[in-house]
Amino acid sequence: MINTTFDELFTYQSLYRAHLKGRLGKRDKKPLVRFEMCMLNNVYEVYRRLKNGTFKFGRYTAFIVYEPKMREIQTLHYSDRIVQHVLCDDLLMPYYSKRAVIDNCVCQIGKGTHFAMRRFEAMLHAFIRKHGTNGYFLKCDILKYFPGIPHRQLKEIFCSQISDERLKSLVANCIDSYHTRAEYLNRYGIQPLGISSSRTERGIPIGNQTSQVFGMFYLNEVDRLVKEKLRIKVYSRYMDDFVLVHEDKDVVRAALAEIRKVISRLGLTLNSKTQIFPLKNGVTYLGFRYFVTSTGKLIKTVKKKTKRRMRWRARLLKKAYFDGVIDGERVRMSLASMRGHLTYGNCFKMQTELFKKLSFIANDGIYMRLKHGKRG
């Protein structure tokens, strides 16, 4: 149970520290520049509104990102994000990260995609040593996870652990400050739960820091089912994308049936990506394709969509370089970024292909430095 009180959490000092943390890497953004012109007064205004009970999370601003795929990102005013920093960093994340299983690898200190891949690969190697190539992957994915999360269940999970009524009300206000549009839900066959099209009672915004905590822990019941009830050792989850491995196909089918029941209780559904594969067929997880050879060797390559995106970027860099839009240093940085990603898999052929496509900068010495792994 979280016994921290509202007054203990939201002090002027905690809000100021949250501002110092929130401005990192963003000090050239116009909203932050305007906020910092009267920074002390603005922080105090947030503190005053919290203390007198008039603080409410405001309206969201939306924008679209297209890589790795098109997503709509929703962001709050900077002053609201300061409150979220305090709420997440000082209250929610320290409490819920301790109660998450180790194989829940998202949005926690010391974890992330690389931690998830390393642990998943180590478990796969141990499985192969014991069972050989006889086994099955179960790959699961939630249909529109963030837009489809029901508010009622989400508030039950998080507000039930908070004893202070003002903190409970603030968390509930944060959850209810955003509702996925009804036309968006209907497009994917998801039933709105609200009484109007503007209040569908579903969804958390992708751009919120609180959404990371909510998304991390909302499927905790699934994690506990797989690890504690079903006792399946090879399991990894990154937000709504999770995979498990077992040597018996009947056990995997039974696990999928149990997972569907839990997901349904949580007001969600699994999408068409949810399938059972033989171990030799491989599985895609966290942007990489894992498959086991007949000799028991684990091979890890980037997925085809990532390869196409890198080839497209290489062609774009080449055109921009010869048009004089970018210089050789910009090409070097992009090539180093792609090379850094590829080094996490067995991607020597793809690395060689990219170096050949960008060999036009060899005269600058950049190509040779990158080819041999040296920094310029």
Side-chain angles (χ1 to χ4, degrees):
M1 196 73 175
I2 299 176
N3 294 316
T4 304
T5 66
F6 189 93
D7 291 329
E8 289 172 344
L9 182 66
F10 290 107
T11 63
Y12 184 87
Q13 291 77 9
S14 67
L15 291 167
Y16 179 69
R17 287 196 302 270
H19 161 65
L20 296 181
K21 185 181 295 185
R23 72 180 184 180
L24 293 176
K26 306 184 187 73
R27 301 194 71 177
D28 59 336
K29 305 295 183 182
K30 288 183 180 180
L32 183 54
V33 171
R34 288 194 292 268
F35 187 89
E36 290 211 308
M37 289 176 67
C38 301
M39 184 263 294
L40 295 177
N41 286 337
N42 287 331
V43 173
Y44 180 78
E45 177 62 18
V46 176
Y47 173 75
R48 185 188 66 80
R49 289 166 56 207
L50 284 165
K51 291 300 180 181
N52 64 22
T54 60
F55 178 86
K56 297 288 184 182
F57 288 101
R59 298 182 64 180
Y60 288 85
T61 301
F63 61 94
I64 304 294
V65 297
Y66 295 94
E67 196 171 326
K69 65 180 180 181
M70 190 179 78
R71 296 181 189 274
E72 183 178 273
I73 309 298
Q74 300 85 18
T75 61
L76 283 166
H77 187 271
Y78 181 75
S79 59
D80 294 346
R81 299 204 298 270
I82 290 177
V83 176
Q84 288 201 356
H85 264 293
V86 176
L87 192 61
C88 293
D89 297 342
D90 299 342
L91 186 76
L92 298 180
M93 187 56 76
Y95 181 81
Y96 286 102
S97 61
K98 293 178 181 178
R99 285 151 182 82
V101 301
I102 190 172
D103 294 307
N104 178 351
C105 303
V106 63
C107 301
Q108 300 162 70
I109 295 175
K111 293 186 178 181
T113 55
H114 294 157
F115 172 86
M117 287 189 291
R118 286 194 302 269
R119 182 167 172 81
F120 181 59
E121 290 162 32
M123 290 188 291
L124 269 181
H125 281 299
F127 180 89
I128 293 168
R129 285 194 298 269
K130 184 175 181 180
H131 301 286
T133 59
N134 299 316
Y136 296 89
F137 288 111
L138 170 58
K139 171 70 182 299
C140 296
D141 198 4
I142 307 294
L143 176 64
K144 297 302 172 184
Y145 181 51
F146 273 37
I149 291 180
H151 288 189
R152 182 179 63 81
Q153 285 98 319
L154 186 63
K155 286 186 282 190
E156 285 176 359
I157 291 173
F158 282 87
C159 294
S160 63
Q161 298 298 310
I162 301 173
S163 57
D164 187 277
E165 290 299 324
R166 294 174 68 190
L167 280 179
K168 190 180 296 186
S169 176
L170 183 66
V171 172
N173 173 247
C174 180
I175 294 171
D176 288 332
S177 66
Y178 175 82
H179 296 263
T180 305
R181 299 187 305 274
E183 58 269 23
Y184 182 90
L185 295 174
N186 293 330
R187 190 187 312 165
Y188 295 98
I190 301 173
Q191 180 67 37
L193 302 174
I195 58 175
S196 67
S197 59
S198 60
R199 292 186 63 86
T200 58
E201 297 296 330
R202 279 190 185 270
I204 53 177
I206 293 179
N208 268 11
Q209 186 181 0
T210 49
S211 297
Q212 298 176 9
V213 187
F214 296 154
M216 179 268 291
F217 199 75
Y218 190 68
L219 295 179
N220 183 62
E221 189 177 348
V222 175
D223 300 335
R224 299 291 176 179
L225 168 72
V226 175
K227 299 296 291 185
E228 296 175 358
K229 181 180 177 181
L230 303 179
R231 313 290 288 182
I232 294 176
K233 294 183 178 180
V234 186
Y235 171 77
S236 181
R237 179 168 76 87
Y238 195 87
M239 204 58 83
D240 65 322
D241 189 9
F242 53 99
V243 61
L244 61 86
V245 181
H246 198 273
E247 66 275 12
D248 190 335
K249 191 172 185 179
D250 290 335
V251 172
V252 177
R253 286 173 175 163
L256 177 57
E258 290 292 322
I259 289 171
R260 285 190 190 278
K261 292 177 183 177
V262 174
I263 294 296
S264 178
R265 284 203 304 272
L266 293 172
L268 301 169
T269 56
L270 297 172
N271 65 17
S272 58
K273 296 179 184 177
T274 300
Q275 295 182 39
I276 298 173
F277 307 95
L279 204 63
K280 60 182 180 181
N281 286 15
V283 69
T284 300
Y285 182 55
L286 297 178
F288 284 88
R289 181 75 180 173
Y290 296 86
F291 62 94
V292 182
T293 66
S294 57
T295 60
K297 183 178 180 181
L298 180 63
I299 304 295
K300 175 186 174 188
T301 63
V302 290
K303 60 183 182 180
K304 292 181 179 179
K305 187 181 291 186
T306 304
K307 290 180 180 179
R308 288 197 298 269
R309 190 166 65 247
M310 287 184 172
R311 292 185 181 111
W312 169 81
R313 185 181 294 177
R315 290 194 299 270
L316 190 66
L317 287 169
K318 184 175 182 178
K319 184 179 186 303
Y321 179 77
F322 283 114
D323 289 347
V325 177
I326 60 175
D327 57 10
E329 178 65 15
R330 179 65 180 83
V331 178
R332 182 192 73 81
M333 292 168 62
S334 293
L335 187 54
S337 174
M338 289 186 283
R339 178 181 180 273
H341 182 69
L342 292 171
T343 53
Y344 284 97
N346 307 106
C347 307
F348 177 77
K349 289 184 179 179
M350 188 63 195
Q351 288 190 59
T352 303
E353 179 184 337
L354 287 176
F355 283 127
K356 286 181 178 179
K357 287 181 181 294
L358 300 177
S359 60
F360 58 86
I361 57 172
N363 293 333
D364 295 336
I366 297 171
Y367 170 77
M368 294 306 296
R369 290 198 298 271
L370 281 169
K371 185 176 182 180
H372 296 291
K374 298 178 181 178
R375 298 186 179 274

